[in-house]
Amino acid sequence: MKFNQALERMSTYPFVQLEDAKRKVADRLGGLIDFGVGDPVERTPEFIRRALIESVTERSSYPKAAGLPETREAIAGWCSRRFGVEVDADTEVLPSSGSKEAIFSLAQIAVDRSADKNVVVTTEPGYPIPLRSAELNGCGLLSVPLREGHGFIPDLDSIDDGIWKSIALFWVNYPNNPTGATAPVAFYGELASRAAEHDFLVASDEAYSEIYFGEPPHSALEVTDRSNVVVLNTLSKRSAMTGYRSGSIVADESVMAMLKRYRPLAGTASPEFIQRAAAAAWRDEAHVEEMRSIYGAKRGVIEPFLRRKGLRVAGGDATFYLWVATPQGEPEDAFALRLLQRGVVVAPGTFFGDAGRGYVRMALVPTLEQCRKAVDLLDDII
Ligand SMILES: Cc1ncc(COP(=O)(O)O)c(C=O)c1O
């Protein structure tokens, strides 16, 4: 049978490759400390779990793609409190079933691949979903490297003048996975003004906006004219709710109109009991502060250790990732393999694209106790 060739050509999702190597070492050592995959293990706050349980009704019908007014208002309220940006809960907000599905499907509404204007820009190293979706949708591809010397921000001037008019969708992700870098509001402003000039959509994936250890990161929502901007956020990281699959989409009415056509077809409406728990989570900041302090404590164990060992934490001070330059230019996969032999898993930077060469990513998702143990395990091999 002939399947989608783009899917058949696609290499194994990098973490699947890591899984094989991990299994072998885990069998030998009887366990691993896994800084590889960014899946938080923190407890979902009790009041959110209670809100979910109390929202489960006797009968359950199809949820509407438009979402519950209560959830949309909770998201709009959060945008106002957090970024000082007023968005219309009725016309500019949608709940998603986690941000991944919304990220994956955006090319379907934003790109007409039969037109000249069909290029999707992604940045690398980066979260792979925007690129994979563009590949599967048969879009034109442009990958822009995030270089340390440029603050891990794409150098917009490096993009050829002739290309701008063929761009349909431009992905950015700050705070950035994997580098931890944040973007100044001036960058969003520059990108949004180019989007207005060349008529493309800026998609800003802000999954880690609440995991920061310096100044609160900005949002692309803060630009003066956000008519070409769509912002995707999620409760997965800030509220330890990965399993709930709950996020937000905020965009101009014209983009929303297309999303409201598309999403009922894809069947991605968020279940209503999830949305009610999500509304409770968006309204509360205390648990988010607590989440930051949990990750801050882990950072406080690992970061000084790496520095003491002469390793350079090259990335920024947000997200729960540390983007670490390998020692003396050691290849990232060799370095990761060396740590794996001690039972400590990190992700080679090239898992996130070629521009990740020379770095590894540590996701601070193991417990504080495990972070301390990892320091002991690695003390004599770094
Ligand atoms: C940069 C980035 N965006 C989006 C997501 C997806 O998050 P979710 O689908 O859980 O909302 C992730 C998950 O790891 C991520 O790293």
Side-chain angles (χ1 to χ4, degrees), residues 58-98:
E58 199 171 65
R59 292 199 173 76
S60 170
S61 40
Y62 284 115
K64 302 257 184 310
L68 294 171
E70 145 185 10
T71 315
R72 283 188 266 113
E73 273 152 28
I75 294 166
W78 178 76
C79 292
S80 166
R81 288 191 306 279
R82 172 68 172 81
F83 301 115
V85 176
E86 301 306 319
V87 300
D88 188 318
D90 287 332
T91 59
E92 297 184 310
V93 179
L94 279 181
S96 68
S97 289

Side-chain angles (χ1 to χ4, degrees), residues 98-100 103 127 173 177 205 207-208 234 236-237 245 321:
S99 55
K100 190 179 198 172
I103 292 168
Y127 179 60
N173 163 228
N177 173 8
D205 168 5
Y208 297 91
T234 176
S236 286
K237 322 287 172 174
R245 313 309 304 126
Y321 301 113

Side-chain angles (χ1 to χ4, degrees), residues 34 36-42 237 242-243 295 320-321 361 363 365-366:
D34 194 343
V37 184
D39 191 359
V41 295
E42 304 312 323
K237 322 287 172 174
T242 47
Y295 289 117
F320 48 55
Y321 301 113
R361 188 194 77 173
V365 293

Side-chain angles (χ1 to χ4, degrees), residues 199-211:
D199 192 27
F200 62 83
L201 188 62
V202 173
S204 181
D205 168 5
E206 301 182 4
Y208 297 91
S209 68
E210 302 317 289
I211 312 293

